[in-house]
Structures are given as C-alpha cells and as structure tokens.
Amino acid sequence: MKTLRTHTSHLVTVVLLLLGMMTAASAQAQAAPQRATGSTTICSFSPIPAGWVVTSSYSSWGCPGSGVSYTITDTAGQTNLTICSFSPKPAGWVVTSSYTTSNCAGSGVAYGFHNVANDLNVGACSMTPIPAGWIITSSYSSSNCAGTGVAYSLHNTVNDTSAGACSMTPVPAGWVVTSSYSSGNCAGTGVAYTLVKITTQTSAVVCSFSPLPAGWVVSSYYPSSNCYGSGVAYSIRKA
C-alpha cells in the first residue's frame, strides 16, 4: 500500500510539472508573438500593423460590412513599393509619383513610394510626408504627380550646417532662418530661405518668422530687408 501511495504521489508530481511547463510555454508564446513578414490580405476595417502599407484594394465578399479587402505589405527591407494613396506612410519614405489606377478601390489613386535611407537627394510629389532632417530645395510643375501637379526636390541636411530651401519647407530642429528672398525656384510661394544650423553659436540674427531653438530667447528686433515677407529681424541669444 505504501508503495502504491508513493507511486501515485510521484505521478501527481510529474503531471503538475508538465502542466506548469505547458502553461509557461503558452504564456511565453503570448508575450512574444512572432511578427508576420511579406504580404497578406486583410479586410479594410482591420488595423494595419506598424510599418506595413496597402498595396492594393478591391471588392470582396469575404469582408461583410465594408465589402473591401486590402493587400498589405511589410516595408522592412524594401526600397521601392507601389501603394494606394490612403495607405499609412511609414517614416523615412517619400511619395515619388502619383497616378490613377483600378488597383486601389476607394480612391483610384496609387503612389510610387521610396525609402530614402540611403539617399541625400530625391525628387518627390508635393503631397509627400517629408522625413525628419530633410528640406525642400525647389518646387516645380510635374505631370508625374497627379492630384497636385507639383513636385519637390528634397535634400537631407545630415552633413550640412547651412542650406537654401523653399519657404514651405519644414525647418529641421536646431536650424534657423537667417534670410528670405524672392525665388523662381519655389513654385507655389516664390520665396526661398537661407537656413543655418545652430552648433556652437551663442547668438544669431534671424528673421522674425524663424523657429527659435530650445533654450534661446529674443534680445532685440529691428527692420530688415533681408527678411522678405515680414521685413523684421530678431537678434537671438542662448539663454
């Protein structure tokens, strides 16, 4: 009888250990799900994973409610893709062309989409998101950009301390506008900026519409013909 109780006790212990191992493995699998890669098809009302884009859209009986399916693609490791105009647009990519297509039910417009990770200069349509640290150096009419008809020349300022840019450009963090002037290279506004990166400076003269770097203050202001548009310049200094 003692032997039977001992064997039974050992069996219960083994079962409990196995159950514990299975529970731990299940919890670990749920805590660290594997990320799908490549392309897949989803219903249009499904959330789109971060870093994925919509490459086509079409009617589908398999998606009650919306009646539309998306083909989505992971941008990891990709350089160029064609996406529908309503697709999410991951950071670091730009729209290089725009055109009508039957492959994007809902908008009927597709974009050429390009990863700028290895570029310093690129042409893009004016509806493009502009990556951090990039500026618009010129704008011009383009038949490759259906919808706006305007394209931008974009430049990465990573290696620069000064640059010329069109007035519609985003000004990178830590940069200031030191002058503005009329320019035929900037279709849409006709105005260009001289931009300077604040590095070791402790004071500077900027146009009144310039962003101020964090920790800087305006010490004086005065009329200036170098600031086309406002006619006012600021003396700024590091606080």
Side-chain angles (χ1 to χ4, degrees), residues 21-118:
M21 292 170 65
M22 292 171 64
T23 301
S26 177
Q28 184 177 10
Q30 291 179 8
Q34 294 298 308
R35 185 172 186 265
T37 57
S39 296
T40 191
T41 300
I42 64 171
C43 291
S44 60
F45 50 75
S46 297
I48 298 173
W52 288 64
V53 292
V54 179
T55 52
S56 68
S57 170
Y58 50 91
S59 298
S60 172
W61 290 105
C63 294
S66 69
V68 176
S69 286
Y70 290 163
T71 300
I72 62 172
T73 299
D74 189 357
T75 59
Q78 303 281 355
T79 302
N80 294 287
L81 288 167
T82 298
I83 66 171
C84 293
S85 59
F86 48 77
S87 172
K89 298 169 184 64
W93 288 69
V94 298
V95 176
T96 55
S97 63
S98 171
Y99 51 92
T100 58
T101 179
S102 59
N103 290 330
C104 294
S107 71
V109 176
Y111 290 161
F113 208 41
H114 174 68
N115 187 340
V116 298
N118 297 316

Side-chain angles (χ1 to χ4, degrees), residues 6-39:
T6 301
H7 287 169
T8 301
S9 177
H10 288 168
L11 181 59
V12 170
T13 300
V14 170
V15 171
L16 290 174
L17 286 173
L18 288 172
L19 287 172
M21 292 170 65
M22 292 171 64
T23 301
S26 177
Q28 184 177 10
Q30 291 179 8
Q34 294 298 308
R35 185 172 186 265
T37 57
S39 296

Side-chain angles (χ1 to χ4, degrees), residues 8 51 134 137 153 198-199 229:
T8 301
W134 286 69
T137 56
S153 296
I198 296 297
T199 53

Side-chain angles (χ1 to χ4, degrees), residues 32-220:
Q34 294 298 308
R35 185 172 186 265
T37 57
S39 296
T40 191
T41 300
I42 64 171
C43 291
S44 60
F45 50 75
S46 297
I48 298 173
W52 288 64
V53 292
V54 179
T55 52
S56 68
S57 170
Y58 50 91
S59 298
S60 172
W61 290 105
C63 294
S66 69
V68 176
S69 286
Y70 290 163
T71 300
I72 62 172
T73 299
D74 189 357
T75 59
Q78 303 281 355
T79 302
N80 294 287
L81 288 167
T82 298
I83 66 171
C84 293
S85 59
F86 48 77
S87 172
K89 298 169 184 64
W93 288 69
V94 298
V95 176
T96 55
S97 63
S98 171
Y99 51 92
T100 58
T101 179
S102 59
N103 290 330
C104 294
S107 71
V109 176
Y111 290 161
F113 208 41
H114 174 68
N115 187 340
V116 298
N118 297 316
D119 300 323
L120 288 177
N121 298 284
V122 70
C125 294
S126 60
M127 78 286 283
T128 190
I130 298 176
W134 286 69
I135 58 173
I136 301 167
T137 56
S138 68
S139 64
Y140 50 92
S141 297
S142 174
S143 59
N144 290 328
C145 297
T148 65
V150 175
Y152 291 158
S153 296
L154 301 180
H155 173 69
N156 189 347
T157 61
V158 64
N159 297 320
D160 302 328
T161 55
S162 63
C166 292
S167 60
M168 76 285 284
T169 192
V171 179
W175 288 66
V176 293
V177 180
T178 57
S179 69
S180 65
Y181 49 93
S182 178
S183 173
N185 290 327
C186 296
T189 65
V191 176
Y193 289 163
T194 301
L195 303 177
V196 173
K197 183 179 182 179
I198 296 297
T199 53
T200 60
Q201 301 97 314
T202 57
S203 63
V205 174
V206 303
C207 292
S208 59
F209 42 79
S210 173
L212 295 183
W216 285 65
V217 297
V218 176
S219 56
S220 64

